[in-house]
């Protein structure tokens, strides 16, 4: 049975800092996840543990019930696009692609040529001669061409201009529709990716704060504005994320299923993903 | 499958450097043959020109290549989701394959080099086996010595490649505290403890150590197999240490 990736009770400490504190998540097949969090929240640590790059202090990561730790068979269903460049600097792009195909036989060479020409990536250049933006493009080309069930992208649009970012998002969506691989994207550019991601995992100080579908989450995310006396009365049993007080105006940010429409003297607004993230993590 | 690709990748990365090394060596050897004929510098004694550093150069080359493990190979293999165990095993294969190939190439180069007529009509290319175990070389047939020399240079190269690998693994993976303890312990042992114990024992410890070293290295007894066994033993211990640290190596910023 295909369970996907299950992260069970994972802990990770660096010295006195709890990088990850009892993480329990499930990554299913055929979905686009967004792993969101502030700097140092534990996003990259989680991705590194899932992909066997570092080891958790406690807990287990499994793929279809089998531990991924030091398991070549399980690991070949996972690929991570890192923030850093881990390729030999003097290797040419074409050689890098050649070797990636060797390591991942499902690598789609024709697609990589197609997407390279879209991004205008020169295959005769060496890795070290690429600019920051083109280094990201190289990683994007390789990552999107690798046809494995779970693809992790850690800050994929680093250094990309708006045109290339737009091209990346479109390529990602097309690739997802064609291959139905699971893409797990860790990013700070929440607003740009909010239309693409289906499921949100929000990490704050090493703990999972949110792990649900984006649509369900945003259905519940509300900003309620009005006078403090009126609002306080209604929201006392609600999951209040944040409040703001400026003079007579009181704003409360909630995750709620309650329908506040029809209540006088208060304004209800839906929250966007970025604003919700800001309130949850501030 | 991933092990096989890892092996092929690592060998491919070494290919150009190995070719460059042998081109340089062959050029030096060619000069060693040609110069006595040319008499380019009257003050230089070309008649006694020798070239006997091929194995040393190769050993140093392999040691350096061993120290490059974390620079490219480890990162590329981890980036392509190869497990640490597979990385270690593939590296062992690479060390053996490269060591074996270079010992054959090196010995053939020496043999062919000595077959080329030179001004002095002597063997101007001398291998390390000949240098260390000259008496043994004189005792046995050329055929037997060729194979012993091949085996010896193979073990010699393995040792240096492994030593470079061990060096960088310890440098990168051992904790700072442990490194300080190790360096302090080794230095203290040789500078303070050993001379002290030696003095107490009326130099008997020194004698025992020197005799043990002599047997282990097989030089005065002319037994190359003793030296090979010693190097193999050190390598086995080294590989165990390397495996221990590689299993714990972290691949992240």
């Amino acid at each position: 049975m295909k369970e996907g990736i299950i992260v069970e009770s994972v802990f990770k400490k660096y010295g006195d800092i709890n990088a990850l504190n009892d993480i329990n998540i499930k990554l299913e097949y055929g979905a686009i996840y967004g792993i969101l969090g502030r700097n140092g929240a534990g996003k990259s640590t989680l991705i590194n543990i899932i992909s066997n790059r570092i080891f958790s202090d406690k807990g287990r990561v499994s793929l279809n019930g089998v531990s991924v730790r030091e398991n070549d068979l399980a690991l070949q269903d996972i690929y991570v696009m890192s923030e850093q460049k881990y390729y030999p600097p003097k290797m040419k792009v074409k050689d890098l692609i050649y070797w990636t195909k060797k390591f991942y036989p499902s690598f789609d060479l024709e697609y990589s040529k197609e997407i390279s020409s879209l991004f205008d990536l020169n295959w005769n250049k060496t890795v070290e001669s690429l600019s920051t933006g083109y280094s990201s493009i190289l990683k994007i080309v390789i990552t999107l061409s690798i046809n494995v069930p779970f693809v992790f992208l850690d800050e994929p649009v680093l250094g990309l201009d708006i045109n290339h970012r737009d091209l990346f998002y479109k390529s990602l969506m097309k690739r997802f529709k064609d291959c139905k691989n699971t893409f797990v994207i860790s990013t700070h550019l929440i607003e740009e990716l909010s239309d693409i991601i289906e499921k949100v995992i929000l990490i704050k100080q090493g703990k999972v704060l949110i792990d649900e579908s984006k649509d369900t989450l945003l259905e519940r995310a509300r900003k309620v504005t009005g006078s403090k006396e009126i609002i306080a009365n209604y929201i006392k049993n609600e999951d209040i994320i944040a409040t703001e007080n400026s003079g007579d105006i009181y704003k409360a940010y909630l995750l709620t299923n309650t329908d506040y429409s029809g209540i006088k003297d208060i304004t209800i607004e839906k929250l966007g993903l970025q604003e919700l993230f800001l309130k949850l993590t501030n | 499958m991933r092990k096989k690709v890892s092996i092929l990748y690592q060998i491919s990365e070494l290919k150009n450097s190995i070719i460059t090394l042998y081109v340089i060596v062959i050029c030096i050897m060619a000069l060693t043959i040609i110069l006595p004929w040319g008499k380019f510098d009257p003050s230089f004694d070309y008649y006694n020109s020798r070239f006997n550093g091929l194995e040393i150069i190769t050993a140093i080359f392999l040691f350096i290549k061993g120290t490059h493990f974390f620079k490219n190979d480890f990162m590329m293999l981890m980036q392509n989701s190869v497990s640490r165990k597979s990385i270690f095993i593939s590296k062992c294969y690479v060390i053996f394959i490269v060591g074996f190939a270079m010992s054959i190439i090196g010995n053939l180069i020496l043999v062919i080099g000595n077959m080329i007529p030179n001004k002095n009509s002597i063997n101007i290319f001398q291998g390390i086996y000949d240098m260390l175990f000259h008496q043994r070389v004189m005792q046995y047939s050329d055929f037997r010595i060729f194979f012993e020399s091949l085996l010896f240079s193979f073990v010699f190269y393995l040792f240096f490649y492994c030593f470079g690998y061990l060096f960088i693994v310890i440098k990168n993976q051992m904790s700072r505290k442990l490194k300080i303890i190790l360096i302090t312990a080794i230095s203290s042992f040789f500078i303070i403890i050993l001379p002290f114990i030696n003095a107490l024992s009326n130099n008997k410890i020194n004698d025992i150590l020197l005799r043990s070293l002599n047997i282990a290295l097989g030089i005065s007894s002319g037994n190359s197999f003793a030296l090979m066994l010693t190097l193999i033993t050190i390598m086995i211990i080294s590989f165990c240490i390397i495996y221990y640290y590689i299993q714990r190596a972290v691949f992240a910023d």
Side-chain angles (χ1 to χ4, degrees):
Chain A
M1 197 186 90
K2 288 197 168 183
E3 296 172 345
I5 293 177
I6 297 177
V7 178
E8 290 171 279
S9 305
V10 159
F11 289 80
K12 179 69 182 175
K13 218 172 173 179
Y14 290 113
D16 292 331
I17 298 166
N18 282 324
L20 294 176
N21 201 343
D22 197 16
I23 302 289
N24 288 279
I25 59 167
K26 185 177 177 181
L27 301 172
E28 291 167 348
Y29 280 87
I32 301 182
Y33 289 83
I35 297 187
L36 312 178
R38 296 190 67 173
N39 294 333
K43 307 184 295 296
S44 296
T45 304
L46 177 60
I47 291 173
N48 285 333
I49 287 173
I50 291 172
S51 58
N52 192 52
R53 290 180 176 200
I54 62 174
F55 301 118
S56 59
D57 298 328
K58 264 194 280 184
R60 186 177 187 258
V61 178
S62 61
L63 173 61
N64 299 330
V66 177
S67 172
V68 298
R69 187 173 172 138
E70 292 296 293
N71 183 342
D72 279 313
L73 211 59
L75 288 171
Q76 68 185 30
D77 283 349
I78 297 171
Y79 187 80
V80 176
M81 174 187 158
S82 312
E83 215 178 316
Q84 298 298 322
K85 241 186 320 187
Y86 291 122
Y87 304 125
K90 300 210 184 297
M91 191 176 267
K92 286 190 178 174
V93 171
K94 63 182 177 192
D95 295 328
L96 184 58
I97 285 176
Y98 167 81
W99 281 109
T100 308
K101 183 155 173 62
K102 286 277 185 191
F103 282 107
Y104 286 93
S106 60
F107 184 92
D108 190 340
L109 190 59
E110 286 310 310
Y111 178 78
S112 70
K113 286 178 186 167
E114 184 191 313
I115 196 175
S116 294
S117 95
L118 274 177
F119 278 101
D120 203 21
L121 175 66
N122 184 346
W123 281 24
N124 288 315
K125 280 197 156 189
T126 58
V127 170
E128 65 183 352
S129 68
L130 297 173
S131 63
T132 308
Y134 268 94
S135 295
S136 290
I137 287 168
L138 167 63
K139 288 186 277 172
I140 284 167
V141 164
I142 289 175
T143 306
L144 293 182
S145 307
I146 282 180
N147 199 1
V148 296
F150 290 92
V151 179
F152 292 80
L153 300 102
D154 195 352
E155 295 295 347
V157 295
L158 203 66
L160 293 192
D161 58 39
I162 182 98
N163 307 79
H164 279 146
R165 291 208 303 272
D166 185 57
L167 187 53
F168 164 67
Y169 302 135
K170 286 179 176 145
S171 304
L172 179 72
M173 283 314 295
K174 189 174 181 305
R175 193 67 177 156
F176 175 71
K177 279 181 190 146
D178 293 341
C179 302
K180 281 289 176 198
N181 297 328
T182 295
F183 289 96
V184 182
I185 307 165
S186 165
T187 184
H188 292 300
L189 298 176
I190 297 165
E191 210 48 49
E192 285 188 5
L193 261 114
S194 64
D195 289 336
I196 293 173
I197 55 181
E198 300 172 339
K199 303 193 181 193
V200 175
I201 297 169
L202 176 60
I203 300 178
K204 183 178 178 180
Q205 291 174 339
K207 291 190 180 175
V208 173
L209 214 57
I210 303 278
D211 179 9
E212 62 184 287
S213 133
K214 181 197 74 181
D215 291 338
T216 322
L217 179 66
L218 293 181
E219 268 303 309
R220 301 195 296 128
R222 295 280 182 273
K223 181 169 77 176
V224 180
T225 313
S227 75
K228 190 173 181 177
E229 294 78 27
I230 299 172
I231 290 175
N233 197 35
Y234 284 107
I235 67 169
K236 57 186 172 199
N237 294 321
E238 294 285 12
D239 184 3
I240 303 168
I241 302 164
T243 55
E244 277 172 19
N245 214 347
S246 50
D248 293 335
I249 308 294
Y250 185 76
K251 290 178 193 173
Y253 298 85
L254 317 172
L255 282 172
T256 178
N257 290 315
T258 310
D259 184 6
Y260 285 98
S261 59
I263 300 173
K264 283 183 184 174
D265 301 323
I266 64 172
T267 316
I268 318 291
E269 289 168 80
K270 281 188 178 181
L271 284 178
L273 190 59
Q274 182 154 287
E275 200 179 1
L276 174 62
F277 171 83
L278 268 166
K279 296 305 167 196
L280 280 167
T281 56
N282 260 342
Chain B
M1 163 66 181
R2 294 192 97 91
K3 274 189 211 90
K4 187 179 163 192
V5 177
S6 305
I7 293 165
L8 288 171
Y9 167 73
Q10 289 175 81
I11 291 175
S12 152
E13 286 292 284
L14 283 169
K15 195 179 60 185
N16 287 344
S17 320
I18 292 173
I19 291 170
T20 307
L21 173 77
Y22 282 122
V23 164
I24 292 170
V25 161
I26 288 167
C27 288
I28 295 171
M29 288 171 78
L31 280 171
T32 313
I33 296 171
I34 293 165
L35 283 174
W37 292 100
K39 287 191 189 173
F40 297 105
D41 181 353
S43 63
F44 187 79
D45 179 14
Y46 292 101
Y47 290 100
N48 290 316
S49 295
R50 296 282 190 277
F51 176 73
N52 51 17
L54 174 60
E55 282 105 336
I56 302 291
I57 293 170
T58 310
I60 293 169
F61 167 83
L62 288 172
F63 173 81
I64 293 169
K65 282 298 167 189
T67 62
H68 284 179
F69 174 68
F70 284 109
K71 214 169 154 189
N72 288 332
D73 290 349
F74 183 69
M75 292 204 293
M76 179 69 170
L77 296 176
M78 287 296 293
Q79 172 61 48
N80 286 293
S81 307
V82 180
S83 68
R84 288 160 185 78
K85 186 177 167 185
S86 295
I87 290 173
F88 172 77
I89 293 170
S90 67
K91 188 68 181 178
C92 291
Y93 272 102
V94 168
I95 289 173
F96 272 75
I97 293 167
V98 169
F100 182 69
M102 291 184 89
S103 72
I104 290 178
I105 295 169
N107 277 279
L108 282 175
I109 286 175
L110 287 175
V111 164
I112 293 168
N114 282 325
M115 281 165 62
I116 295 170
N118 58 75
K119 184 101 174 156
N120 308 325
S121 302
I122 56 166
N123 279 357
I124 55 173
F125 303 116
Q126 192 182 21
I128 194 171
Y129 190 77
D130 191 353
M131 282 163 61
L132 291 174
F133 303 103
H134 190 69
Q135 275 189 315
R136 191 179 177 87
V137 170
M138 302 309 286
Q139 266 183 307
Y140 296 106
S141 68
D142 287 350
F143 191 72
R144 177 170 168 163
I145 290 303
F146 175 76
F147 280 102
E148 279 188 19
S149 161
L150 197 71
L151 182 65
F152 180 79
S153 53
F154 174 49
V155 174
F156 191 65
Y157 294 159
L158 286 188
F159 175 78
F160 275 89
Y161 203 170
C162 168
F163 193 59
Y165 189 19
L166 174 71
F167 175 80
I168 201 65
V169 163
I170 287 177
K171 182 174 175 277
N172 273 20
Q173 299 302 315
M174 202 181 252
S175 67
R176 198 173 177 196
K177 208 176 179 180
L178 206 51
K179 271 185 223 171
I180 292 170
I181 293 170
L182 191 68
I183 292 168
T184 310
I186 292 173
S187 315
S188 309
F189 179 76
F190 283 105
I191 297 169
I192 303 167
I193 299 167
L194 188 60
F196 180 70
I197 297 172
N198 193 44
L200 285 176
S201 67
N202 281 330
N203 282 339
K204 281 198 181 118
I205 299 292
N206 252 8
D207 289 338
I208 293 168
L209 281 172
L210 283 168
R211 258 185 276 139
S212 307
L213 212 59
N214 214 350
I215 294 167
L217 297 180
I219 291 171
S220 54
S221 61
N223 185 355
S224 59
F225 292 99
L227 178 54
M228 283 190 252
L229 193 63
T230 304
L231 295 179
I232 289 168
T233 307
I234 297 171
M235 271 195 288
I236 291 170
I237 297 167
S238 303
F239 276 122
C240 293
I241 296 170
I242 291 166
Y243 183 71
Y244 173 83
Y245 278 109
I246 286 290
Q247 283 291 90
R248 286 152 182 79
V250 155
F251 177 60
D253 300 334

